[in-house]
Amino acid sequence: MQFFAIDSMRKEVKDIELNMQANTLYTYFNSILIDELFGLNEHIIYTSANALNEGKNAYFLGEQLLIGDALIAGRDGFEDKDVTISKEELSSLISYEVSDFYAEVLSLLAQTDANLYRLFEVVRGTERFELNIEWVLYTFNIADDKTRRYFIDELQKVIQSDENVMDYMQKMATLAMNAVK
């Protein structure tokens, strides 16, 4: 099957051909923990869930934050298929520029077992939302300097005191959601 592979170290997109079998993705990433992301229309993005803890490079594919190498396949319903986006179009959607806020927070989160894409629930009034750490980071990245600094300082305290990072992120997501009434 035809894939595109994003090499986060070399900052390049490569065409690759893989024979999809039960262990192909695990072997490619040398990991049993794989994240499946749907941030690209009619495609699926595969990344290693261990990339953050391994200190891999962060970058954006559109607005989707990715860590480490990625594989892109086409997607039809629940089935993977050959990639259909052009290499040029995919390359134009990638930005290797990551703000200082993202860099500092990701460095802190690398010390934990947090997964950027694991969903948690936030309640605002009678509404329930499924969010993740990636959303929280995006939201606080666009905040003012004082709010970003508060977020980082409090995250450092949570990590130093060995508190639950997911609980902290859920709390921050709730604060952000309640600020947008």
Side-chain angles (χ1 to χ4, degrees):
M1 190 162 60
Q2 185 66 37
F3 287 85
F4 284 131
I6 301 173
D7 184 324
S8 65
M9 289 292 291
R10 293 190 175 141
K11 299 180 179 180
E12 67 182 10
V13 176
K14 300 181 272 188
D15 294 290
I16 64 169
E17 185 83 24
L18 291 175
N19 183 13
M20 283 300 280
Q21 296 177 358
N23 65 346
T24 300
L25 293 172
Y26 307 114
T27 303
Y28 181 84
F29 289 109
N30 196 26
S31 173
I32 59 168
L33 300 172
I34 305 296
D35 285 319
E36 297 179 0
L37 310 170
F38 300 95
L40 190 59
N41 192 29
E42 297 181 10
H43 289 81
I44 187 164
I45 305 163
Y46 294 107
T47 62
S48 169
N50 295 323
L52 176 62
N53 303 97
E54 294 170 352
K56 303 290 183 173
N57 294 333
Y59 56 98
F60 291 93
L61 176 54
E63 292 184 8
Q64 177 84 61
L65 175 65
L66 300 178
I67 311 289
D69 295 346
L71 278 178
I72 314 291
R75 190 70 169 212
D76 185 16
F78 294 106
E79 298 291 319
D80 288 356
K81 63 179 187 173
D82 289 341
V83 68
T84 57
I85 190 171
S86 73
K87 186 175 181 179
E88 294 74 25
E89 185 177 359
L90 179 63
S91 295
S92 74
L93 295 173
I94 298 172
S95 171
Y96 296 100
E97 299 296 320
V98 177
S99 72
D100 291 342
F101 171 79
Y102 272 107
E104 189 169 352
V105 171
L106 292 173
S107 175
L108 290 169
L109 290 175
Q111 303 168 37
T112 72
D113 64 352
N115 180 298
L116 297 179
Y117 313 108
R118 188 174 302 132
L119 296 174
F120 52 80
E121 188 174 272
V122 172
V123 178
R124 181 177 70 185
T126 59
E127 297 178 286
R128 296 183 181 283
F129 300 91
E130 293 282 314
L131 302 173
N132 59 29
I133 291 175
E134 180 196 21
W135 182 89
V136 174
L137 299 185
Y138 174 84
T139 302
F140 278 86
N141 182 60
I142 59 176
D144 60 66
D145 289 339
K146 186 176 178 181
T147 303
R148 286 194 303 268
R149 187 76 255 151
Y150 169 80
F151 180 90
I152 291 169
D153 291 345
E154 292 302 308
L155 177 58
Q156 286 174 323
K157 290 176 189 174
V158 166
I159 293 170
Q160 288 170 351
S161 64
D162 206 27
E163 294 177 40
N164 188 314
V165 172
M166 289 300 283
D167 289 345
Y168 171 74
M169 291 296 174
Q170 188 173 19
K171 174 184 166 187
M172 292 294 105
T174 300
L175 289 174
M177 290 296 290
N178 289 332
V180 189
K181 289 186 178 187

